Amino acid sequence: MTGFLVTAPAGFNFRSTMISHGWLMLAPFDYSDDYLRLQTIDRLDDGSLVQLNFAPAAGPAIRVEVEGVKGRLRAASKRRLTELTRRIFNLDLDMTPVYRRLRTEARYRWAEQRGAGRLLRAATVWEDLVKTLMTTNTTWAGTRNMVKRITELGPQDDAGRHAFPTPAEVAGHRQQALQEHIRAGYRTAYLLELAGRIAAGELDVERWDDPALESDDVYQRLLELKGFGPYAASVMLKLMGKFDRLALDTAARSMYAQQFTEGGKPTDRQIREHYQPYAPYQGLVLWLDLMVE
DNA sequence: TTCCAGGGGTAGA
DNA sequence: TCTACCCATGGA
């Protein structure tokens, strides 16, 4: 086994990021019950599979332990795994303007103290897109099952653990066979189309994760994907550190009803107006309300 | 069997 | 832009 440290920004909280939303429960992630260790399987440039163990370290930093490397970890592999770690824990996201704004709101000051708001991500934008698509119109248990079965399409290591499949690996399946395996219903066609367009080079979704891109611009591109409506597109923006859209789902509406309208059914417009003063971070503030529920 | 979930799509106002 | 309505489908 080999390992190294990845420096995290000041105020980074490993556990808060890990439990920031349900992603830690989706394959190929695995986690410890104290939320202080996250595992995943990924591949090096030569295609070999490695198991990665992430844990918090002083600094703040993240300790990355790598299992499955034959011989010494090459410098290029270490660079790639460092980039992967930074992406998964969203380490390049600058939270200082967000926290500066929230300091003026007594209700949300806890976010900075706990290092909340930095959302856990998958290894690639492609994988985040797939997982987000699998959260739509289903139960959380259904999401976990569908993602687990999609992950089974990826390569397998000696211990039987799978890395998440590439777009080409998904696109290589016929729709009927894919549906029979992953049982994602109507989402299967959307998944196959997304995988096919990326594999063909028609879409370069990895470049959508760019702080320099306007939120509205990325939002429009997301909405053009089959199966991505306002909810799914807003979730993706949040993962990219763009917080100016509300991801309104049944959970958000129910939380709002309990916390702000004494159980009365709010309209989406009411909810939007309530969070508007927090722009451009209203999506995150809604998320904070969901977390404390 | 029924019901619903961490909605999407579309038509019409 | 917003609302109303229909549609999808695996799982509890």
Side-chain angles (χ1 to χ4, degrees), chain A residues 142-200:
Chain A
T143 299
R144 292 184 71 175
N145 286 334
M146 289 184 275
V147 170
K148 178 172 178 287
R149 291 187 293 251
I150 291 169
T151 304
E152 287 167 359
L153 303 173
Q156 197 173 12
D157 71 7
D158 297 339
R161 296 170 299 213
H162 294 268
F164 198 81
T166 62
E169 283 164 355
V170 171
H173 293 80
R174 302 179 78 98
Q175 184 170 326
Q176 190 183 338
L178 191 61
Q179 164 59 14
E180 282 172 9
H181 178 70
I182 68 176
R183 286 187 284 164
Y186 67 94
R187 304 171 198 81
T188 301
Y190 298 159
L191 170 67
L192 198 53
E193 181 178 326
L194 177 64
R197 292 178 68 190
I198 297 173

Side-chain angles (χ1 to χ4, degrees), chain A residues 255-256 260 271-278 282 286 289:
Chain A
M255 173 282 294
Y256 190 87
F260 299 108
I271 301 177
R272 257 190 280 280
E273 283 173 358
H274 173 90
Y275 288 102
Q276 190 55 37
Y278 304 106
Q282 61 270 54
L286 168 77
D289 281 333

Side-chain angles (χ1 to χ4, degrees), chain A residues 11 22 49 74 81 105 112 117 132 152 192 205 211 222 264 272 293:
Chain A
L49 297 179
R74 288 169 38 232
L81 295 179
E105 307 286 344
E112 180 173 16
T132 300
E152 287 167 359
L192 198 53
V205 296
L222 288 161
R272 257 190 280 280
E293 196 191 9

Side-chain angles (χ1 to χ4, degrees), chain A residues 14-41 51-56 88-89 120 131 140-141 144 161:
Chain A
F14 184 94
R15 191 171 181 278
S16 285
T17 300
M18 198 166 141
I19 61 173
S20 54
H21 63 142
W23 256 219
L24 79 162
M25 291 182 252
L26 300 180
F29 280 149
D30 197 5
Y31 62 100
S32 63
D33 291 337
D34 59 3
Y35 307 117
L36 292 175
R37 183 167 286 269
L38 183 71
Q39 288 184 358
T40 193
I41 308 292
Q51 180 183 322
L52 303 172
N53 302 293
F54 304 106
I88 289 176
F89 288 90
L120 189 72
K131 289 173 171 177
W140 182 246
R144 292 184 71 175
R161 296 170 299 213

Side-chain angles (χ1 to χ4, degrees), chain A residues 30 32 49 91 98-100 117 121 127 143 167 174 180 182 207 209 215 219 222 227 252 254 262-263 266-267 272 292:
Chain A
D30 197 5
S32 63
L49 297 179
L91 298 184
V98 184
Y99 291 148
R100 191 180 309 131
R121 308 195 289 185
E127 189 176 330
T143 299
R174 302 179 78 98
E180 282 172 9
I182 68 176
R207 298 184 63 174
D209 178 28
S215 177
Y219 187 69
L222 288 161
S254 149
E262 296 175 339
T267 64
R272 257 190 280 280
V292 294

